[in-house]
Amino acid sequence: MRILYATSEAAPFCKTGGLADVAGSLPPALAAAGADVAVVLPLYQKVKERFGDQLYFECYDYVDLAWRHSYCGLFSLQRDGVTWYFLDNEQYFGRPELYGYMDDGERFAFFSRAVVRMLGHLKFWPEVIHCNDWQTALVPIYLKDDGVREDRYRSVRTVLTVHNIEYQGRFNPYILGDLFGLDSGWAKDGTLLMDGDVNLLKGAILCADAVTAVSPTYANELKMPYFAHHLEGIINKCDYKLSGVLNGIDMKLYDPETDPRIAVNYSAKDMSGKDEDKAVLQRMLGLREEPHTPIVAVVSRLVSHKGLDLICEVLHDMMELPIQLVVLGKGDRKYEEFFHWAAQQHSGRMAVRLDYNEELSMAIYAGADLFLMPSKSEPCGLSQMIAMRYGTVPIVRETGGLKDTVQPYESWRESGNGFTFANYSSGDMLYVIREAVYLYKDYPEAFGRLRQRAMNSDFSWERSAQEYLRIYAGITGQHWAPPERTEEPADAETVPAAPAEQPAEAAAPTPETAPEAETAETPVPEAETAEAPAPESPAPAKPRRRPAAKKETKKKGTAAKPRKTTAAE
Ligand code: GLC
């Protein structure tokens, strides 16, 4: 299977959020499962600065976007069994930041146009292009547009992954022809028009052969107005091709046993290092060195959908509990000011750092005991998984990926890997925080077992990669065989994350199926229907890794020797 993964960011090259983590680890997992995978992303200034000397210049071409005729360079790099392509255009991407410019619409229209234009220069003609969020939403649209004239574009199937539906790529319809080079038919038939705007995400949801959300619960939530930011009608209409696939995390990068970023390494079998990490964290942040006081941590962007209002409402009640509180993050001024002020009221027991700081965040994952994430909505969320991996027990609200990754603690049958609450209510949150704190203080052994279950949760990418391969097979009409199961029973110590919901059969619409106008009624399912798969479902045996079909290819010459010009030059 030949997959081209189109994204506007990917770790370790360039990152502003969770999309980069996903784009950095899913493609290698697909390659490890046997697919032939390439990733394409813009050659930002930051990438040029940090990786320029490792990039190979492949070729260049010109890309037509409406009346513009612009240079596009193609650079590549081999890594983790994947070919990473970078599209170069100094005018659009030679800037200090990834996003936030007034011409972002034009920049990513150029990028999407260039992805389609440069297909013939890549190492393969892809069977599937996997797009992500609004920045690459024009790819399925351009493929349909070009497919009318050229057969070869019709053979390419598309998947769109929605990481956060809040960001839709909305523009004045006036610029449809001038900026995106599309004729007015795309607006008139309703494919791209939404509330008077051109809406790229809407267009891509209609045009893609399969649509995925980053967790099964989020896929269901997207059908409801509360979560869908006006796109619920379209999502319901496309339910037949929608599925939720839970993200994973890089289990090697985030491994407390080997992680060089934390002060003392430890593992589920020997937790002594975590006590030392806790003492280090307390010293680092000026907290009292109290080994038996649980540290509750918040590592988050300080924005409203992260549920920070709940924390603000009951912060002083929380601080009546025997806890220490650590907050790391930056964002909206009102939260920054509040946390700064609160830390002064509780000095020695509360520490706040208004920053995005990877080193400190790792020290917190390692040194804290409880990880608080009361999000209003959370498509998937990665930090709760990282926290669990480091034995920091999560306290989350049951929404999106939080619901799919954290199963509530039940003392009577020793199950669960964290604490959860359902309603967006500060009282409910406080109740479970109290429950968690007293389990820690009064029943340390039970807390220890809960911590072990959190650490043993399986968030590896292999399972999700198989889900995606199944979706690709569905839309290309190829055979997909689930990986062979090992004979021996699943590792009893490994708690699998809630398995991703079986998505509706992703029927491949024929290229002739023109996207229909936006006429869908909006059936609003009741909130209760958004059930995540039962956490109790039996543990699936760990899939045995298939040997990669293609080992890392040393492409045209040796990887060590730059071939022609490098981006740095
Ligand atoms: C977005 C979502 C986040 C998700 C990430 C990766 O940033 O807000 O919940 O984990 O994408 O899919």
Side-chain angles (χ1 to χ4, degrees), residues 18-19 22 163-164 214 247 378-382:
L19 166 61
V22 174
H163 294 262
N164 193 336
V214 288
N247 288 335
E378 193 62 70
C380 179
L382 301 172

Side-chain angles (χ1 to χ4, degrees), residues 16-23 132-133 161-167 213-215 218 245 247-248 301 305-306 373 377-385 401 461 468:
T16 68
L19 166 61
D21 292 305
V22 174
N132 295 277
D133 282 351
T161 293
V162 179
H163 294 262
N164 193 336
I165 205 156
E166 206 175 328
Y167 309 108
V214 288
S215 68
Y218 192 53
V245 183
N247 288 335
R301 269 185 305 129
H305 83 262
K306 295 289 179 185
M373 216 168 157
S377 78
E378 193 62 70
C380 179
L382 301 172
S383 15
Q384 81 280 12
M385 295 191 244
W461 269 107
Y468 282 113

Side-chain angles (χ1 to χ4, degrees), residues 226 310 374-376 396-399 420-430 432 527-528:
Y226 181 81
L310 299 188
S375 303
K376 209 184 269 176
V396 304
R397 194 174 92 79
E398 292 165 18
T399 181
T420 74
F421 61 102
N423 294 326
Y424 191 68
S425 135
S426 54
D428 290 7
M429 179 187 76
L430 189 59
V432 285
E528 288 73 32

Side-chain angles (χ1 to χ4, degrees), residues 433-448:
I433 294 178
R434 203 171 273 142
E435 200 185 6
V437 169
Y438 285 109
L439 187 75
Y440 176 96
K441 295 289 281 179
D442 299 342
Y443 300 94
E445 281 174 13
F447 189 87

Side-chain angles (χ1 to χ4, degrees), residues 43 56 91 104 106 119 220 227 261 296 314 318 340-341 393 456 481 483 499 524 561:
L43 183 58
Y56 300 124
Q91 182 201 341
D104 277 359
E106 182 178 332
L119 285 182
N220 272 326
F227 294 97
R261 297 167 295 184
V296 180
V314 292
M318 274 169 67
H340 180 71
W341 168 80
V393 176
N456 289 326
V524 181
K561 279 193 223 147

